[in-house]
Amino acid sequence: MRNIRTLIASVAVATSVGTTGAMAADLPVAPEPVDYVRVCDAFGTGFFYIPGTETCLRISGRVRAEYRFNNYGDGPNNWKRDANGTSTRARGILRLDARTNSEYGLVRSYIDMYMQRDSGGSSFVLDQAFIQFGNFTFGRTQSMFDFWTGYSYGNYHTVYTDYKNWIAAYTAAFGNGMSATLSVEDGTTRRWNLVGGGDAYAGHRYPDLIAHLRIEQGWGSAQIMGALHDVRYAAANTKGDVGFAIGAGVQLNVPVFGATDNIAFQAVYADGASGYVQDTWDDISATPQITDAIFAGGKSRTTKTWAIGAGFLHNFSDQLEGSIEANYASADAFGSTNDFSMWGGNINLIWKPVDGLGIGAEVAYRDFDFHRSSVQKDRNEIYTTIRVERTF
């Protein structure tokens, strides 16, 4: 009897141990903590925290498709010579904006790049890449000289400049919307032609120096700006010049016409720094041409240029907007065949059926008056762009 009781006890113990082990094995294992992506509302919509950090990131971009009818004004134009009468463009833009608040102020890293395919080939462009640290900005971004960069597509005939430059800038904020900026920028971006004395720029010595004073308030914004530009011929026997540019612009909110309507005025004068007046001088072919300086009579003489422009942006409804721009520019190249004046404008209409999508068309016109040229006759140029664009 004792042996039977011992056997039963042993079986019971073994069964209990086995059951306990099985139940322990069947218990659920606690999951690892998951760091979910959190919305960051400190810098506006679209930002989220990069997991494990206090840095907020926004990913955005744009897709653009264009069909262009190139110069079909007075001959010889693109339709009457060996040039593209029409052309196409597809562009994909990617933007990355990372921001962190710190004891020194905002720390921001920004990248704007695009891939593009034209009728003539493809390209990849790093349009912007800069770092902001408090009041300082370093890298490639919008030139601190530029103010009003237009309401039109800006493919042709703009009276303003819209340059992306390498810059090192400091901005001081005075309150009430007032600020001042001092910037050194890559001067090669704003170089135009030199005539005589080697007909080419020498190597880059000094960056351009730019300063502006700006105000932004409920009525709109305004800016006055100035720049110094190094002008130096490649020929060793020529002396360099210091070119300069000054300008002023104002952009006004005009809700009397529409809730988000704007009107802008801008004027710029340059002596030896034509690239600060307009950035579409390059449409002028061969001779005459825009210059920064003329070398004649044993000395260098800087080219004097100026331009005025205005634009109006109107929202007909939530889904339809249009703009019109007009401009006049003049170049005085020391009485040479490179003296000319021109005027023109752009007009467009854009339908926005859904948020972020725009379907529109634009016509650009420019009229040239060559003052002393026996090479070129006065002419006009006309261009049309059809664009479909989605921003996200």
Side-chain angles (χ1 to χ4, degrees):
M1 179 64 69
R2 174 176 292 181
N3 291 338
I4 294 175
R5 287 199 299 268
T6 302
L7 178 60
I8 293 173
S10 299
V11 172
V13 171
T15 302
S16 174
V17 172
T19 303
T20 304
M23 291 178 63
D26 292 339
L27 290 175
V29 178
E32 294 293 328
V34 177
D35 193 359
Y36 291 100
V37 174
R38 296 176 294 144
V39 172
C40 173
D41 55 9
F43 306 107
T45 61
F47 284 89
F48 61 89
Y49 286 99
I50 299 175
T53 75
E54 291 302 313
T55 297
C56 297
L57 176 67
R58 184 173 189 264
I59 303 173
S60 61
R62 177 179 293 167
V63 176
R64 176 183 298 170
E66 289 182 347
Y67 195 87
R68 299 181 175 188
F69 296 86
N70 300 315
N71 180 24
Y72 52 93
D74 289 340
N77 57 34
N78 286 46
W79 294 72
K80 296 181 179 180
R81 60 186 178 185
D82 187 18
N84 288 331
T86 63
S87 59
T88 60
R89 169 170 292 179
R91 176 182 291 185
I93 302 171
L94 178 63
R95 299 185 176 110
L96 305 174
D97 190 351
R99 307 187 191 190
T100 309
N101 281 320
S102 75
E103 59 182 306
Y104 302 99
L106 177 67
V107 180
R108 182 188 185 194
S109 302
Y110 184 84
I111 298 173
D112 187 337
M113 52 191 168
Y114 63 82
M115 296 156 284
Q116 182 168 291
R117 180 74 187 190
D118 290 330
S119 297
S122 60
S123 60
F124 172 81
V125 177
L126 181 62
D127 200 37
Q128 296 188 72
F130 65 87
I131 296 171
Q132 285 181 304
F133 178 61
N135 294 344
F136 292 93
T137 303
F138 305 98
R140 179 179 171 84
T141 188
Q142 191 78 44
S143 170
M144 293 300 176
F145 187 89
D146 296 344
F147 173 61
W148 178 55
T149 56
Y151 304 131
S152 66
Y153 291 159
N155 289 332
Y156 311 101
H157 316 338
T158 57
V159 74
Y160 40 80
T161 59
D162 188 5
Y163 282 109
K164 306 298 191 303
N165 276 351
W166 186 97
I167 74 172
Y170 177 81
T171 299
F174 305 125
N176 199 29
M178 290 283 294
S179 66
T181 296
L182 183 65
S183 176
V184 292
E185 305 190 6
D186 186 346
T188 61
T189 309
R190 304 270 188 173
R191 286 180 166 186
W192 285 96
N193 302 295
L194 300 177
V195 175
D199 286 349
Y201 260 96
H204 191 240
R205 293 185 303 180
Y206 312 120
D208 287 7
L209 180 63
I210 294 172
H212 79 231
L213 183 64
R214 184 166 185 154
I215 183 170
E216 296 188 47
Q217 293 189 338
W219 50 262
S221 58
Q223 178 174 298
I224 56 174
M225 52 276 196
L228 297 177
H229 176 67
D230 185 31
V231 181
R232 186 167 66 109
Y233 284 86
N237 62 344
T238 60
K239 183 180 179 180
D241 294 301
V242 178
F244 70 89
I246 55 173
V250 60
Q251 182 169 252
L252 303 172
N253 302 325
V254 284
V256 64
F257 299 113
T260 57
D261 284 18
N262 293 285
I263 189 169
F265 302 93
Q266 186 163 274
V268 179
Y269 173 84
D271 186 345
S274 300
Y276 284 93
V277 176
Q278 289 194 153
D279 56 18
T280 53
W281 297 115
D282 58 322
D283 290 341
I284 304 169
S285 59
T287 303
Q289 57 191 354
I290 187 62
T291 60
D292 276 342
I294 301 288
F295 188 78
K299 63 171 61 176
S300 172
R301 301 178 185 273
T302 52
T303 299
K304 297 171 178 58
T305 54
W306 63 273
I308 56 174
F312 175 51
L313 174 65
H314 176 58
N315 291 270
F316 298 94
S317 68
D318 292 339
Q319 295 186 341
L320 188 65
E321 75 172 32
S323 70
I324 185 170
E325 298 174 359
N327 61 80
Y328 178 87
S330 176
D332 179 6
F334 188 57
S336 71
T337 58
N338 296 285
D339 285 4
F340 63 89
S341 59
M342 61 187 188
W343 65 272
N346 299 352
I347 185 169
N348 67 25
L349 191 65
I350 304 171
W351 178 45
K352 299 180 176 181
V354 298
D355 186 40
L357 176 65
I359 303 171
E362 178 170 293
V363 177
Y365 174 83
R366 183 156 63 175
D367 182 272
F368 289 95
D369 179 12
F370 300 108
H371 299 165
R372 297 177 176 85
S373 176
S374 59
V375 180
Q376 300 246 33
K377 66 177 182 178
D378 296 349
R379 69 175 188 271
N380 61 66
E381 297 178 348
I382 308 174
Y383 299 80
T384 296
T385 301
I386 299 173
R387 175 183 291 182
V388 180
E389 184 173 76
R390 173 72 193 281
T391 302
F392 58 90

